[in-house]
Every structure is written in structure tokens, then in C-alpha cells.
Amino acid sequence: MPILAALTKTTAATAPLAKRVAPSTVIKARSLASAIEKPVSAHYCYPVATGSQTAHLQLRSGETFTGGSFGAPVSTVGETVFTTSLVGYPESMTDPSYRGQLLVFTQPLVGNYGVPGRARDAFGLLRHFESEKIQCRGIVVGDYATKYSHWNAVESLSQWCEREGVPAITGVDTRALVHILRGQGSTLGSLNVGQTATTPEAIEWVDPNADNLVAQASTDSVRVFNPDGDVHIALIDCGAKYNIIRSLCEQGARVSLVPWNHNIVGELGSFDGIFISNGPGSPTHCTETIEQLRQAYAVYQRPIFGICMGNQLMGLAAGMNAYKLRFGNRGHNQPAVDLTTGRCVITSQNHGYALDDSRMPTSWDRFYVNANDGSNEGIRHLEKPFRSVQFHPEAKGGPLDTSHLFAEFIDQVRAMKAAGVPIIADSSIGGVAKQSASATA
Amino acid sequence: KVQGPVEFPGAEAAQARRKQREEWERELAADDSDKSGRIVNGRRIRKVLVLGSGGLSIGQAGEFDYSGSQAIKALKEEGIYTVLINPNIATIQTSKGLADKCYFLPVTPDCVRKVILHERPDGIYCTFGGQTALNIGVKLRDEFEGLGVQVLGTPIETIMVTEDRELFAAAMAEINEKCAKSHAASSIDEAVVAANDIGYPLIIRAAYALGGLGSGFASNEEELVALCRKAFAASPQVLVERSMKGWKEIEYEVVRDSVDNCITVCNMENFDPLGIHTGDSIVVAPSQTLSDEDYQMLRTTAVNVIRHLGVVGECNIQYALNPHSREYSIIEVNARLSRSSALASKATGYPLAFVAAKLGLGIPLNEIRNSVTRETTACFEPSLDYVVVKIPRWDLKKFDRVSKNLSSAMKSVGEVMAIGRTFEETMQEAIRSVDTSFDGFSRNSYVAETKEAIEEELTKPTDLRVFAIANAFHMGYTVEEIHLLTAIDRWFLCKLRGLVETERQLQAFAADQRIPRDLLCYAKQQGFSDAGIAHFTKRNEMQVRNTRTGYGIRPFVKQIDTVAAEFPAHTNYLYITYNASEHDVEFVDNGVMVLGSGVYRIGSSVEFDWCAVRAIRTLRENQFKTIMVNYNPETVSTDYDEADRLYFSNITLERIMDIYEAESSAGVIISMGGQAPNNIALALHRNKVKIFGTSPENIDGAENRYKFSRMLDQIGVDQPQWRELTQYEDAETFCDEVGYPVLVRPSYVLSGAAMNVVSTSTDLKTYLNQAATMSRDYPVVIT
């Protein structure tokens, strides 16, 4: 495996070399380090287009990438992650799942179609974005297009980033960067704008994953969308993308967006269905949500559905374990096989953790499996209408192959409501509701 | 780590399939004991007939040699006996060791029927031989059943629907998809009704009228009525169609298997807007000016359409997309491998033809492995972390009285593909690949720098449009002005505009001034060649190269792995870029380089691909490590599984030297690629590159008319009186001396290109001015 060998060599050689690069040489070195003559350098340089400021991307593991700055001229620290998607930067950047992260685009040409305006749809949601603001802390691209061209664009990517105070760097060999990230998993990075690269020691490394990112991304209070809907869905907001809300509303549901730690168990009786959204960071911060779900499983008889983070929370609540994937699944091209039909669908994904489905809890089965690495892509309950998927059926960006899951969910909710299936199993209504009510009181 | 397809015991459908297969096994067990081959639709397939495309023609070239060869490889892997019909001896697919049996017979219904009767195959593929093979399928469709042959892959009925405009429109209406609407009207009132149904702007065509007489555009009813009056004077009927002039042309390559898994492998955007045949357009992959919403809208449509049509294998769908809204219209579906699929296959690294052949055997997509990564499934959509540009090559100069204007009929004879990490870099490399005399996107003499000439070329494109754009920028035209004239998206034009600035900066340096490192580096990243930079700064290529290597500016080698580095891959498919900071691969092989044929031209075609592939195979059989260099996507030599390393790169002195040095190659074989590598032989030799086979000095002895004729004199072989000349005046004097007619021959040309018989002095002057530029480097010999 020559690539892996080369990779380990790179990372091993990097730390001491990085220190040797004096800040003064960094400014002038608008060059390409030639790997034919010199050993692989830890300093990746790039000439900067005239007129733009120099920017540096420094990884905690020691590598430095030099390029040109665009967007806001500020510095930031975040977890460096990548996406292999070909299109969809406005959607990805406003996706709350990328909160606290420096987002690397493997497609080198970014910014081509500008940024669309802030039009809102009938439900009051931004039509072209997945949340109100840019969620990632910074972006890293190969070749930023200073001039954009699209009928729907109102400003350039740089103007948008600048307005929202998000820094960006262009002129980075993103493929070399992905080689490093792929090998070492979660890597903190520092994006600083200015003439000199600082030494790794001088950077104040703050791991965004130490915070509860879900709590930051979640809504503070209950918000109701499409109040005239005929079925009432509780959408637990771990950092929900707007298109999840929209997809449910478009199916005719009344959606109550509730905070991640909302006492849902106390109100179970008023919901015809429960939906758990995607969200940033590690699922282990959401013990409160997991506990709520565990209690709901015991008594709730109507459909529950989870997406991404929701899948992990539902699995953890069912008694499964989560682990960190060797290579995370990030892109719009991930194949997932539906185990109930054998069909393979192409999905949009962005996750570094997965459920361990080697042993399933009683009454639970695998729902979807990744056709590339065999990792879990979804689980389902064998008797109750509880299902979840690891990928993003709401897409934005990504393929729309699985958007039917929303229709199926709402159809099921509607059918069970029409059939008069009691929301809560009779035997335990009092017990759980009272218990949790007293717990919160 | 997962090896091979993932087994899913819980999948009900997969289980049902397995059960069905077992049932077939039981049923078939009675009449045979031989368990080889595969069972498709209840019949055991052991022997398969593959139809080739026959002789090459304009619009149908090497891509079908590539797709047929891939299909045969795939079938052999499944243990199936393959029979091929193809009369074209210059192809890889007909060479020994590929198909089990090959018939050099014309691909006609009679011959195919005879071969079927003689060979009694169980199945037949009609989708790997272009339109020729497809037509056989349509003609013989009723006979196949009686002959005991099953059509594998896409059913003939599906092909017929996609070929017939009316059937196709009806099929699209069934799933509420939009085709370009067209109505026939025989009176002005009818035309107005039709117009209101379709919506303005419209194009009005007079039926049965020659050369577009009475056609025109109408953007309101008034204009429509005026146009109709004129049209009805010439013709009894007019066709009212939605005008999509200036719309973007977008293509998707779609793969579907027999259990309805469906993916899009690649999408491509045409640089030239609608109006020029996609085979004659400059194409960029992946699309560059589409947002996620646009991209997914067209992708979902593609999947729905292909599922509805029931294609099994590979196909291509083309759209027109309104540049000012989300409105789109389906132009056509090609339910077979095409030149676009060959391009998509090379652009993404996804072996489309190979996979399509396997799908024809009823194997589901997710059970086929991605042979590039070897660790992932074929049921995925490649992610590109580079950009690809395709430019067609026309040889219109070789034909007399042929209109050079490009339109809806394909005129190109071949195409080139370039890979890079910025659009500028890739576009320039592609332009240079089309012909060695092109410097890239720079000021040129191909289009005169006058308002009339430029605007004529921009509005009525010929093969020189891209050069007209370059000159227009140099004359001071703005992006907006050129956009209005050509309707090419502003994004592409803005990128190209940047190159003009760099060229001007370079021109500021006189021959004795050193080019600063930053500028040189920036120019290289924008894709300017050493030769181009030398030209702008009035020095020679080697001086620029020495300055560049002195600065330590060298290109980097990157891999194409289909997954944008998300997973480790073992790919040997490489390209070269200056927009990088490290190599993807290590150089330890010291392999032998084989230079390919480059772009197909009239006079240089698949035969040189055959030579290069045979050379590579022979070297590998003899345990030599091999490096293939070529830039033609329609070839077998650019298949990732032929050589140990495949460089998808231009064949120029600069690139070959770069690869030779980076790889520390053992030596270069230039004799397999025809004229293209021959042209740089002497230059390589002078730069101390080890060349295997005939010494470049001896090649020069044969190619250089002067040296050749001098040698004939020396060894006493008779020949007509001759002289080598570099000046027109000398030529005229010589001609007067020996008397007309004379034969004029430039050196280093392909199959007599630019060679001509001249019978008067006026002709001589015109000829030497137009066809052959005399120069000190390349003199002309007159006999």
C-alpha cells in the first residue's frame, strides 16, 4: 500500500519540520515545494493572487498550508473536516451539523455560482439555506472563483463569508489535506489571516467537540410550523436543517420544533409522531435526549423516526453502542442498501460516528447498511413503528433518492391516527408521565 | 475493511433473487450438467455475440473499440465464451487473446444472421457497437427469439422508444417530464394557437424548405404572424418550436441494473450553449455553473426517466437548461454507449462499458466491485476532486468545399481530454492537445483581429471559436460583450479573461530580462506551457524550462481514484498539475514509457492505439514496468488496467520530460504513437532522453525531406530534381528552373497532409501562404 506508507511517512516527518520553518521564510515562500528534489515538506505553500491577503491553515498535528484569504479577515480554530460533494456549498455551510468545524471542499472549484438571496417559503423558512447563518467556522478551498455566475445569486461567496464574519482560505492542495485528515481522524485546525504563520504552540487550541454543540445549535423555545397541519409531529431539534422541517410541513404535518432536552415524555399524548433531527458533534453529549427516548420507547405506540444524529440517539436509547469510523462518510455519493428491499440508494452523508450493529438489541433489526464499508446506515424496530437512518433523506445538498421516507413516515402517522391506535400504551400512561413530571418538577 | 460485495442475508428482494436463481438452476439441471456461464431470465448464457461498430466514420470512432474491448474483458471475467463480429482490423477488440472467436465480417443483418446460425450463441449485445450495432438489433429484433438468442442489456423496445421522437415524447409525457415541444401548423391561426400552447420565444421553421429558408425567431405574436406570412409563402406547413437558443446544455451518464438500482456516474456541462452538437462542443466535467438545486433536479429527472424507459446498462441523457430560471427540457436519451460515455468513463475513472456488460448478465450493481478502489462497490457516484475539459478535433481543412460552421450535425473526427485542478490549467492543456501548433489560450493568428472577423466567428462558430475569444479579449472586448455574442456562460469567460492578463504581464519581459519566480509560478498554475511563455517573452522553450527548474517549479502528480481521497485507493491513473503541493505517488518503478497516438485525426487513428496497447502488453509479459502517456479518451491505451501507470497527459516535449524526470524512467518508446511522438523525437534525444528503437537521428533522416533526398543521392537512387527551401522567393526561382507542375512537401507531416501538386506560380504563392508556413525549423521541399 504505497499511499498509506507515504502518508504515514508524511505525518511522521511533519512535526519537527514544521518547527523549523521560520515565520520569515513563510511570507516570501510563494512557491511550490518540489517533492522531486526535497523530501515531503510539512509546509504546503502556494502563490497568492495579487491583491489578496495571505492566510494559513495550521493543523494541530503540525502541518501548515499557505494560501490566499477571502471572506472575513479574522482567525478561528475548529475541527477540520472535509466533504466530497461536487455542489451545494451554501447548503453545507449553513448545515448545523458542521457547527464548530473548518470545512474542506475536495472539489477544487468553489464559489462558481455565488450565493442566493434570503427568500422565505410559505412556512417562513429560508428557501436556499439550511439555517439562519453560516454554521461552520471557516472554509478551505482549492480554487475560489472571484467571479460568480448564476441567475439566482445575489452576492459572492466571499461577500457572504465577510458579512457573516467567517474566514476562508483558497489555494490549498485540498487533496493533500484530505490525505492527512483521512489518516488521523478528528484534527483541530487553525485558520489565521495575516502575513505570518504562528507556531503550533502559540495557538490556543480549543476543541469545539468538548462543548455540547447540540445545545448551541438547538432552538431555545418551542416553535410551531404549519399550525394547520392535520397530524402533530414533535421534531426534536439537535440542529435541524430547514429542509427537514419543510419536508414534514409539505406532507401536511403540523411541526412543533422542540429543544433537544425538551421534556417530551411529559407531553407524549399530544404528538402523533416524533422525529429526531440531525445535529453536530458527538452523540454522547445528548444523554438527556437518549433518556427521553428510552422512556418513550416503553410506552409510545405511534411512529418515531430519526436522521443522522437522530439515528445514533435512537440506537443508543435502544441499548446499542456507537464508535468512531476509521474513515468517516462525508459526501453526496454514499451507497446505502435497504435491507427490506435489497435496493441500493445513493445518499447524502456527513458523519464520523456510527452505531455498532454487530449485535442488535431484542426486537431491533438493521434497516440500511453502507454498501462500501458495511457500516450501519439505519435501524428499525420489529414490532413498533420506530425507524431511523444515518444518511440525510432531506438532502440539501445531495441526491433526492430517499426523500420518500418523509412521505412514508407521515402516511404511517396519518394511518395510525385514523385507525385510532392509542398514542400511549394503556398500562403505563400514568406511570411514566407522572414519573417524568415529578422528575422535572 | 470489506473485501468484495457485502452480503445482506436480511434482504428480502435479494433473497427472492437468489431463490429464483436456484429455481432456474434446478430447472436447467435436467438438460445439462455444465454449470458454467450465468443464468439470465431463466436461460443459461455461456456464449455471447458482441457486435462491433465496423469501419470508422465521422461521429463513430475509437470509442467503440474501447467499449467493445471492455465488454469482452467483463464477459471473460464471468467465464463466458465471446464471439465478436467486426471487420475493422485496426482495433484492439479484434486482436488475438481478447475475444474467443472473431469474425472479420461486415456488421450487416445478413452476416450477423449467418454468424448466429453458425455459432448458436445464447446471447447478443447490440449496445457496444454504436449506431451500427444498434440498427442491427432493431432490424433483427423479431428473429432473435427464433434463433435462440437473448438480447442482453437494454431491451430493443427501449432503444426504439429513444430513437423515435414521437414515441419518446409520449413516453416522457407518461411521467410528466418535459421534452422540447413542437407543433406543426398549416395556417397562421393554427400557428398562433400552437404558440400560445408552447409559450414564447419560439423558433419557426418552414417545413420542406431548403437550408432553413423562412425560419426565424419570434418573441411575440406580432413577430410570429410576420414570420408565418413569409414562411407560408414558401411552404405549406411550419413547425412551431420552443426556442432554446442560448440555453445551457447539460448531460448525465446514467447506469441502471436489472433490479432497478440506478445511479448517475457523471454530469457534464457544455462550454458552448445549445445549438452545437455535443460531440462538437467543448465539454467540462463536472458541471461548473449549476447549484445543488439545479444539479439534483436534473439528476432526479435522469433517474426517473431511465427507470421509466427500462434501460439495463449504460445510457446518456441530455438536457437544455434555461440560464435564467430552473426551466429545463429533455433533448434526448442515448440508450447505448457513446462518445460521451467513453469520455465520462475516462473523466471519472468509472469503467462504464465494463460495468454495463456485467449488468447485461443480470448482476446487480451493488454486487459489482469498484475495480479502481477495489474496496468499494460499483453502486456509487464518483466524486471528482479535479476538473476535466474535452475539446473536439476537426480536420475540416482536409476537405474541400465543406462548411466550417458547426451546428447540430457532428463534424469532429476525434477529441482530447485534459485534467487539472483549475479550469484555466485544464482548458489550456486541452487546447494544446488538439494540435501541437497551438500555444494555449493566447493571442493567435488563426482569427484576424478585426471587428468583422471576430464577431462573425463568435456568432457563427467554426472550429476556431475559442481562438476568436482569445483575440477578442486582446482587442479589448469585455466578458459581457462576448457573452452577448456567444451566450457562453460568464463564469467560463471570466476565467479565460484572467489568462489574458497573465499573458500581458509576461509580454512585459524582454528576451534578456529574467522572469520573476512568482509570475512564472502563477503562469504555470494557470496552465501556460514553457513553449507559450517562451513565445510571449521572445526566448526559446529550453531557456524557460531551465529558468523554471532553476526556481524549483515542477509539476505534481495526482491520482484519479473516483472517491476524492475519501478512501485509500490503489489506482495507477494519474494526471499532472501545478496546483498542488505534493505528489500522490512514489517513483520507484523506473518503468518504460510508451507514448500513445494522441488525438485521432484523419490519417492517424485507432491503429496507433493498437500499436501502443500491444507494446505495453508485450513489455508487461516480459516483466517490464510500463508507463503509458496519452490524452485521447476514446482509446484502449488510456484504460486504467492496461499499463502499470497511466498518465493522462499531453504529449509535448515539456510534459514528456517532466514525466521522464519524475519517474526516472528507463527509457521511452516513441515508435508506437504515429506522427505525434515522432515530432518530438529529435528534441527528446537532444535533451538526453533515452529512446528505445530507431534512433531519433535516423527518424529525422527519413522524415526530413532534405536529409532523405540527400541520402538517396548519396546511395545512387534515382529521384526527381529537388531542393529544400525556406524562402518563397527561392521557391519561385527553383520552380521556374525545373518547370511546373511541381510537388510541394513540408517535413514532419502526417499521411501527406499539406502535400500538394502546384502547376502555376500563382498557385504556389497561395499555397505557401495558406497551407504550409515555411520556416527555418520546418523547411519545404519542392520536387
Side-chain angles (χ1 to χ4, degrees), chain B residues 628-677:
Chain B
M628 180 73 219
V629 186
N630 202 356
Y631 56 87
N632 183 343
E634 309 165 56
T635 54
V636 179
S637 57
T638 51
D639 255 4
Y640 63 93
D641 57 355
E642 289 293 341
D644 293 303
R645 276 200 176 168
L646 165 66
Y647 279 88
F648 210 99
S649 159
N650 202 341
I651 299 174
T652 56
L653 176 65
E654 176 185 348
R655 280 286 192 249
I656 300 304
M657 289 284 292
D658 285 338
I659 298 170
Y660 181 80
E661 284 170 8
E663 286 279 354
S664 316
S665 163
V668 184
I669 296 180
I670 56 160
S671 48
M672 299 298 162
Q675 200 60 48

Side-chain angles (χ1 to χ4, degrees), chain A residues 213-283:
Chain A
L213 290 169
V214 167
Q216 291 175 18
S218 182
T219 173
D220 300 330
S221 54
V222 178
R223 293 174 68 197
V224 178
F225 295 89
N226 194 27
D228 303 329
D230 65 335
V231 286
H232 189 195
I233 306 295
L235 173 56
I236 301 176
D237 182 12
C238 299
K241 286 162 77 178
Y242 278 174
N243 206 38
I244 295 181
I245 306 174
R246 185 183 297 117
S247 300
L248 293 170
C249 289
E250 276 174 351
Q251 296 297 328
R254 169 193 159 125
V255 177
S256 288
L257 186 73
V258 303
W260 68 283
N261 56 355
H262 190 73
N263 178 13
I264 216 136
V265 177
E267 300 172 11
L268 277 184
S270 60
F271 299 122
D272 299 313
I274 299 173
F275 205 102
I276 307 116
S277 83
N278 62 305
S282 161

Side-chain angles (χ1 to χ4, degrees), chain A residues 3 31-33 44 47 84 107 112 149-150 173-175 182 330 333-335 339 341 343-344 372 397-398 401, chain B residues 11 13 260-261 288 294 296 299 376-377 379 381 383 385 421 489 517 525 556 558 565-566 569 580-581 584:
Chain A
I3 306 148
S31 66
L32 288 159
Y44 302 87
T84 65
Q107 164 60 32
N112 302 0
S149 167
H150 197 271
D173 183 350
T174 46
R175 192 174 164 88
R182 172 182 86 189
R330 304 173 199 282
N333 61 345
Q334 299 287 339
L339 297 184
T341 64
R343 255 211 205 176
C344 191
N372 272 342
D401 283 7
Chain B
D260 217 12
N261 290 317
Q288 293 299 334
D294 304 336
Q296 304 303 344
R299 180 192 176 276
T376 52
T377 151
C379 185
E381 302 191 348
S383 185
D385 59 358
R421 284 178 63 87
D489 196 283
R517 188 200 155 98
Q525 291 188 329
F556 291 91
K558 292 276 176 191
E566 189 184 355
S581 47
D584 269 5

Side-chain angles (χ1 to χ4, degrees), chain A residues 371-385:
Chain A
N372 272 342
D373 58 11
S375 68
N376 180 265
E377 292 288 354
I379 54 172
R380 65 189 176 110
H381 198 280
L382 293 173
E383 290 110 38
K384 291 183 172 181

Side-chain angles (χ1 to χ4, degrees), chain A residues 10 45 97 376:
Chain A
T10 314
C45 270
S97 295
N376 180 265

Side-chain angles (χ1 to χ4, degrees), chain B residues 154 251-257 260-268 298-309 311-319 332-338 340-341 344 350 352-353 355-356 359 365 380-381:
Chain B
T154 304
E251 289 176 74
Y252 280 71
E253 292 298 321
V254 190
V255 168
R256 179 182 171 269
D257 68 10
D260 217 12
N261 290 317
C262 192
I263 59 163
T264 61
V265 169
C266 181
N267 93 328
M268 295 178 270
L298 299 181
R299 180 192 176 276
T300 307
T301 305
V303 170
N304 290 342
V305 167
I306 298 323
R307 282 196 169 138
H308 182 67
L309 292 174
V311 170
V312 176
E314 200 274 348
C315 72
N316 158 286
I317 181 166
Q318 289 170 17
Y319 298 99
E332 63 169 357
V333 169
N334 279 314
R336 57 167 169 87
L337 272 292
S338 62
S340 292
S341 18
Y350 189 99
L352 278 170
V355 169
L359 296 180
L365 201 48
F380 84 114
E381 302 191 348

